[in-house]
């Protein structure tokens, strides 16, 4: 046997007796790939930034993975081991040069001609937040105008659209894209006829049918919002023959007409025989009104007129948006008269609501004004003026809340304070239905050039027209605003204007730092002139004295000085008694009322009140007639029996003084009668006190 034959037999026997194991051939490339992946995942790398790649890096990696599938000899392919058989065959791939810009435009036009206007708008309507930027995602190029899309379809469907708009109404089963398509086609016809025309009859017919369809109650709030979104997106796209969209003013006018039709339709929205309120649609309409850059207060007023107060919280977002638009417009207004006129229109839309129970709306407006305190884009003082003037014209806002908001918006050393003109206008607007001769007041205010004198002008006109309560109301409003100095100047001006018997009392109140009390005293005197009686013969004088004696900051001795109770020589008193008996009676009545006021004042001690009353008694005893009126005697009796009413024995000296005056004025019998009654009262108090000390 040869050596070669023996070697063949040996290999055959080895194959026959070895274990049956499947062989697997691994190339060097696969082994290198596994080793490299192991090294990449096993080593630790410290990275202090984000591990998420950016958009450019992500695109580069994605392209690298894609090209890795098409490369020969790639050491680490992105495909798994079991997918190596499915790799593409690069032997059939050929390189092509990049397309030119002209070829790209031709290809883009070819693709866009395949899309009809109805199909494009159907995709728009189905997107709840459709914007001009995402129109490319549905097949329209960024440079393709809306009117150029599907020209053949528009031409062929013009008659169908006209028949749809004029003869039919839409319902819940109507495709929303059909409604949007009809509106845009008719609007395109109006714009192609005359783009600058004030009237657009075709689009007006669409708005009328849209209004009637809403009134039938067939559409839900989300569907209404989708239709408005579709029409808005069509308006924001360039029209035929133009490279840019419509001008903002023209576009806003078209949107305003659509919103007006929507408002009328929603206000007549009836479902199952009952009027239905779509809060979602109303809130969306109000927000769209606030986005228009034209004067939309009239449309906002129309919308708010159809909203029930119970649903005001459901549309608070739309109300906030319109209030913020109004405030920004106020901050940009240069003429004060225009601002006040717009404030009146805005107040008309909100006056029917009780905003006091919806304070979150008011608080949002105040905070929005405060946000623009240091703004350079708008005038903060104008914005603040518009807000406070609006609050002053709302009947549900009380005066104290208005003063609180004004104080908040005035806070700060660098903030300019509200002018006297603004405060006067706020007060007059708050009391518009109560004040008489309002035109005369505004005329006098506008003619006065000095802002510091405007409070006096308003007070003078109100005083001359006998509107004393409103003068006091103006003082109270100034007090709430923290303008005590203005109130003091106002009170002094009225005092200098009026010359009457109450002026000394008013001067005493002003000297004590009570200007509002001075205004009250002077107004009481003016009210007493309505009757034929003298001031001291009416109850107004008693009320004026009670105001003075209850004030703790006034020294009560000065009250007698303000009454001008002076002791005169006996000869002079006799001559005055003969020549001025009427005046003497007034002096006596004045003194008696002062004694009564001292007796019942809760802010005066019993001892001080007795001394003051006794001074009045002495003055009356020294009068020519030497008669003490019963009112003064009752005041003295009330004072001396105050301790007896509290269960005490009373002050003996005061009781003797009272009995002495009573004996002098009424006689011995009357004095004895009162003396016995007082003694019995003291005995009763003594027994009750002993019984209380002995215990039950």
């Amino acid at each position: 046997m040869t050596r070669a034959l023996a070697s063949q037999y040996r290999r055959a026997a080895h194959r026959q007796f070895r274990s049956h194991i499947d062989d697997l051939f691994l190339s060097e490339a696969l082994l290198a790939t596994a080793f490299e992946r192991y090294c990449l995942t096993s080593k630790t790398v410290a990275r202090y930034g984000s591990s998420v790649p950016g958009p450019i890096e992500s695109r580069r990696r994605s392209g690298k993975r894609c090209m890795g599938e098409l490369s020969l000899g790639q050491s680490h392919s992105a495909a798994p081991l079991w997918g190596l058989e499915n790799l593409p065959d690069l032997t059939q791939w050929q390189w092509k040069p990049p397309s030119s810009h002209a070829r790209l435009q031709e290809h883009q036009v070819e693709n866009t001609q395949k899309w009809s206007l109805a199909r494009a708008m159907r995709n728009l309507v189905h997107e709840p937040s459709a914007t001009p930027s995402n129109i490319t995602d549905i097949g329209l190029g960024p440079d393709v105008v809306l009117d150029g899309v599907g020209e053949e379809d528009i031409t062929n469907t013009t008659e169908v659209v006209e028949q749809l708009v004029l003869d039919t109404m839409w319902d819940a089963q109507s495709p929303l894209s059909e409604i949007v398509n009809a509106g845009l086609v008719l609007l395109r016809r109006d714009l192609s006829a005359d783009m600058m025309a004030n009237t657009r009859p075709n689009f007006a017919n669409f708005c009328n049918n849209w209004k009637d369809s809403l009134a039938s109650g067939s559409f839900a709030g989300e569907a209404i919002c989708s239709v408005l979104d579709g029409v808005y997106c069509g308006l924001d796209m360039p029209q035929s023959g133009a490279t840019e969209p419509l001008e903002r003013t023209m576009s806003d006018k078209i949107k305003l007409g659509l919103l007006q039709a929507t408002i009328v339709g929603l206000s007549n929205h009836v479902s199952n025989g009952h009027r239905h309120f779509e809060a979602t649609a109303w809130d969306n309409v109000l927000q769209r009104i606030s986005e228009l850059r034209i004067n939309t207060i009239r449309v906002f007023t129309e919308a708010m007129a159809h909203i029930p107060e119970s649903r005001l919280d459901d549309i608070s977002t739309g109300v906030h948006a319109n209030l913020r638009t109004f405030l920004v417009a106020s901050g940009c207004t240069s003429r004060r008269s225009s601002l006040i006129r717009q404030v009146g229109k805005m107040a008309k839309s909100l006056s029917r609501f009780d905003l006091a129970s919806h304070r979150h709306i008011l608080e949002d407006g105040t905070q929005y004004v405060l946000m623009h305190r240091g703004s350079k884009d708008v005038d903060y003082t104008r914005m603040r003026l518009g807000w406070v003037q609006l609050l002053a014209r709302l009947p549900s806002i009380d005066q104290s809340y208005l003063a609180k908001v004004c104080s908040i918006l005035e806070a700060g050393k660098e903030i300019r304070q509200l002018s006297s003109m603004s405060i006067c206008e706020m007060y007059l607007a708050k009391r518009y239905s109560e004040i008489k001769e309002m035109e005369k007041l505004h005329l006098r205010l506008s003619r006065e050039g000095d802002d510091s004198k405007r409070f006096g002008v308003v007070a003078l006109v109100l005083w001359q027209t006998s509107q004393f309560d409103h003068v006091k109301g103006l003082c109270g409003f100034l007090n709430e605003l923290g303008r005590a100095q203005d109130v003091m100047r106002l009170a002094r001006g009225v005092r200098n204007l009026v010359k009457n018997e109450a002026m000394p009392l008013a001067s005493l109140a002003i000297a004590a730092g009570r200007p509002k009390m001075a205004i009250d005293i002077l107004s009481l005197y003016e009210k007493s002139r309505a009757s034929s009686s003298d001031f001291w013969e009416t109850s107004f004088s008693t009320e004026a004295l009670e105001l003075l004696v209850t004030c703790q900051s006034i020294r009560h001795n000065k009250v007698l000085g303000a009454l001008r109770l002076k002791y005169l020589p006996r000869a002079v008193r006799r001559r005055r008694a003969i020549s001025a008996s009427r005046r003497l009676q007034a002096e006596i009545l004045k003194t008696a009322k002062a004694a009564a006021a001292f007796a019942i004042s809760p802010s005066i001690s019993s001892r001080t009140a007795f001394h003051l009353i006794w001074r009045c008694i002495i003055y009356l005893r020294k009068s020519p007639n030497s008669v003490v009126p019963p009112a003064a005697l009752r005041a003295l009796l009330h004072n001396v029996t105050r301790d007896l009413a509290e269960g005490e024995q009373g002050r003996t000296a005061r009781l003797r003084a009272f009995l002495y005056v009573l004996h002098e004025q009424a006689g011995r019998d009357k004095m004895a009668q009162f003396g016995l009654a007082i003694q019995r009262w003291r005995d009763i108090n003594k027994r009750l006190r002993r019984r209380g000390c002995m215990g039950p």
Side-chain angles (χ1 to χ4, degrees):
M1 181 182 294
T2 61
R3 181 180 297 180
L5 184 61
S7 177
Q8 292 179 357
Y9 279 111
R10 187 170 55 251
R11 287 196 299 269
H14 180 71
R15 286 196 300 267
Q16 183 69 26
F17 294 104
R18 71 175 182 175
S19 60
H20 297 278
I21 301 174
D22 295 334
D23 295 335
L24 178 63
F25 175 76
L26 297 178
S27 63
E28 294 293 335
L30 292 178
L31 292 175
T33 300
F35 179 73
E36 289 179 5
R37 289 185 178 180
Y38 169 78
C39 293
L40 290 175
T41 56
S42 61
K43 66 180 180 179
T44 58
V45 179
R47 299 187 62 182
Y48 299 96
S50 175
S51 61
V52 180
I56 299 178
E57 177 67 16
S58 177
R59 188 178 302 174
R60 187 186 68 82
R61 293 184 182 182
S62 177
K64 186 176 181 181
R65 286 193 297 268
C66 180
M67 294 303 295
E69 301 287 349
L70 305 178
S71 61
L72 290 174
Q74 181 72 17
S75 60
H76 42 280
S77 173
L81 296 177
W82 53 86
L84 297 177
E85 297 179 358
N86 298 325
L87 292 178
D89 186 6
L90 293 181
T91 59
Q92 305 298 328
W93 179 78
Q94 295 181 358
W95 178 84
K96 293 181 180 180
S99 302
S100 62
H101 181 68
R103 177 56 186 167
L104 286 177
Q105 288 185 344
E106 293 178 2
H107 181 70
Q108 193 175 36
V109 172
E110 291 176 0
N111 290 337
T112 54
Q113 288 179 352
K114 299 178 182 179
W115 288 80
S116 64
L117 179 62
R119 186 177 180 184
M121 295 313 301
R122 182 181 300 112
N123 290 335
L124 280 176
V125 172
H126 288 328
E127 291 291 338
S129 58
T131 58
S133 61
N134 59 17
I135 294 179
T136 308
D137 298 336
I138 62 173
L140 298 182
D143 300 330
V144 180
V145 297
L146 179 63
D147 290 15
V149 178
E151 292 287 345
E152 298 179 358
D153 295 338
I154 296 177
T155 305
N156 296 333
T157 59
T158 302
E159 295 80 3
V160 178
V161 171
E162 291 181 354
Q163 186 71 18
L164 176 66
V165 173
L166 297 177
D167 298 339
T168 62
M169 288 179 55
W170 300 292
D171 52 15
Q173 285 72 31
S174 301
L176 300 181
S177 59
E178 180 181 316
I179 304 174
V180 176
N181 186 23
L184 293 178
V185 169
L186 293 179
L187 178 60
R188 175 186 174 277
R189 294 193 61 189
D190 290 333
L191 295 177
S192 61
D194 187 0
M195 185 171 292
M196 304 304 296
N198 293 327
T199 59
R200 297 176 178 83
N202 295 315
F203 190 72
N205 292 334
F206 166 76
C207 292
N208 290 332
N209 285 345
W210 171 243
K211 173 186 63 178
D212 297 337
S213 301
L214 290 178
S216 63
S218 302
F219 294 93
E222 293 77 6
I224 297 173
C225 297
S226 299
V227 172
L228 295 177
D229 287 336
V231 178
Y232 269 51
C233 289
L235 284 173
D236 293 337
M237 295 176 63
Q239 305 298 318
S240 61
T243 59
E244 297 181 357
L246 291 174
E247 295 182 358
R248 183 62 185 265
T249 304
M250 186 182 302
S251 176
D252 284 350
K253 289 182 179 179
I254 297 173
K255 294 176 182 178
L256 184 60
L258 178 62
L259 292 177
Q260 285 179 323
T262 306
I263 290 171
V264 176
L266 288 175
S267 62
N268 299 321
H269 194 86
V270 178
S271 179
N272 297 326
H274 300 283
R275 191 174 298 276
H276 183 63
F277 184 81
E278 284 288 350
T280 304
W282 277 109
D283 191 51
N284 187 270
V285 168
L286 291 178
Q287 293 186 42
R288 294 180 186 276
I289 291 175
S290 66
E291 296 171 358
L292 301 179
R293 293 185 181 179
I294 56 179
N295 192 354
T296 58
I297 296 182
R298 177 179 57 84
V299 184
F300 177 69
T301 304
E302 294 177 1
M304 296 299 291
H306 301 290
I307 295 175
E309 186 173 352
S310 59
R311 305 302 298 272
L312 186 60
D313 289 336
D314 298 335
I315 59 162
S316 59
T317 305
V319 176
H320 288 163
N322 283 272
L323 283 178
R324 294 184 177 186
T325 303
F326 163 75
L327 292 174
V328 172
S330 301
C332 300
T333 304
S334 58
R335 297 181 58 184
R336 182 186 180 89
S337 58
S338 301
L339 175 60
I340 298 300
R341 185 166 57 252
Q342 297 301 321
V343 166
K345 294 179 181 179
M346 193 69 180
K348 183 179 179 181
S349 61
L350 300 175
S351 58
R352 57 184 292 265
F353 297 101
D354 184 15
L355 293 182
S357 56
H358 304 278
R359 288 293 178 90
H360 60 93
I361 297 178
L362 303 178
E363 297 296 336
D364 180 82
T366 304
Q367 292 298 326
Y368 189 74
V369 175
L370 288 174
M371 287 171 54
H372 293 79
R373 177 174 292 185
S375 176
K376 298 181 180 179
D377 299 331
V378 297
D379 188 354
Y380 173 74
T381 57
R382 290 288 184 181
M383 181 182 288
R384 179 186 62 183
L385 177 62
W387 180 239
V388 296
Q389 292 287 350
L390 176 61
L391 293 179
R393 285 162 174 78
L394 297 179
S396 59
I397 305 302
D398 55 0
Q399 185 171 294
S400 60
Y401 183 81
L402 176 60
K404 176 183 176 182
V405 173
C406 292
S407 301
I408 293 174
L409 299 180
E410 281 185 318
K413 295 182 179 180
E414 299 179 356
I415 303 301
R416 184 185 303 175
Q417 302 297 308
L418 287 169
S419 62
S420 301
M421 182 71 173
S422 303
I423 296 176
C424 291
E425 286 178 345
M426 283 191 290
Y427 179 76
L428 295 178
K430 200 66 186 171
R431 306 299 178 91
Y432 182 81
S433 60
E434 304 174 4
I435 297 178
K436 300 179 294 184
E437 301 185 11
M438 187 67 71
E439 296 181 358
K440 182 179 179 180
L441 275 168
H442 284 290
L443 183 61
R444 293 287 297 273
L445 275 176
S446 60
R447 289 180 177 178
E448 181 59 49
D450 190 357
D451 189 68
S452 61
K453 296 182 180 179
R454 286 196 168 99
F455 292 139
V457 170
V458 174
L460 177 61
V461 176
L462 292 175
W463 198 272
Q464 291 176 348
T465 54
S466 301
Q467 303 183 71
F468 313 112
D469 291 338
H470 290 300
V471 178
K472 294 190 295 183
L474 178 60
C475 293
F477 185 51
L478 292 176
N479 269 330
E480 291 178 349
L481 290 175
R483 298 174 177 262
Q485 295 181 355
D486 293 328
V487 179
M488 182 65 71
R489 286 196 294 265
L490 181 62
R492 289 174 179 172
V494 174
R495 180 198 61 183
N496 297 334
L497 173 67
V498 179
K499 304 292 183 180
N500 52 42
E501 300 178 20
M503 189 178 68
L505 302 180
S507 299
L508 180 61
I510 292 175
R514 298 300 183 93
K516 191 174 182 298
M517 182 182 295
I519 297 294
D520 293 338
I521 293 172
L522 293 175
S523 63
L524 288 173
Y525 178 83
E526 295 295 336
K527 291 179 180 179
S528 67
R529 297 179 60 183
S531 61
S532 58
S533 302
D534 188 71
F535 172 67
W536 296 107
E537 296 177 358
T538 61
S539 60
F540 296 106
S541 59
T542 305
E543 187 175 352
L545 288 172
E546 290 177 356
L547 286 175
L548 286 174
V549 299
T550 54
C551 181
Q552 297 182 356
S553 61
I554 296 178
R555 297 183 61 181
H556 302 94
N557 292 329
K558 293 185 177 181
V559 176
L560 296 177
L563 294 176
R564 297 180 180 178
L565 303 179
K566 298 180 180 179
Y567 301 119
L568 301 176
R570 188 174 297 274
V572 177
R573 291 201 303 269
R574 288 176 180 176
R575 287 196 301 270
R576 285 195 174 184
I578 298 173
S579 61
S581 59
R582 183 176 179 83
R583 182 178 179 182
L584 181 61
Q585 293 297 327
E587 294 288 333
I588 294 174
L589 186 59
K590 185 194 319 184
T591 308
K593 288 197 172 185
F598 292 139
I600 64 175
S601 175
S603 60
I604 304 178
S605 64
S606 176
R607 180 178 180 180
T608 304
F610 175 78
H611 287 293
L612 294 172
I613 296 172
W614 190 249
R615 286 185 59 182
C616 295
I617 295 296
I618 293 175
Y619 179 83
L620 292 172
R621 289 175 61 197
K622 291 184 177 181
S623 62
N625 294 333
S626 301
V627 176
V628 179
L633 291 175
R634 285 195 295 269
L636 184 59
L637 177 62
H638 181 274
N639 179 264
V640 299
T641 57
R642 183 186 296 184
D643 295 336
L644 294 175
E646 296 175 357
E648 302 292 337
Q649 293 296 305
R651 304 293 179 174
T652 306
R654 299 178 192 175
L655 293 174
R656 288 178 178 177
F658 169 71
L659 294 176
Y660 174 76
V661 175
L662 185 62
H663 176 267
E664 186 179 28
Q665 298 295 325
R668 182 182 178 85
D669 296 338
K670 202 69 174 179
M671 183 269 294
Q673 182 180 356
F674 271 87
L676 292 175
I678 291 174
Q679 185 61 39
R680 287 195 297 269
W681 196 350
R682 297 181 68 185
D683 294 340
I684 293 173
N685 288 342
K686 186 182 296 185
R687 289 196 300 270
L688 291 176
R689 190 170 184 179
R690 288 179 179 176
R691 190 176 301 172
C693 294
M694 291 175 60

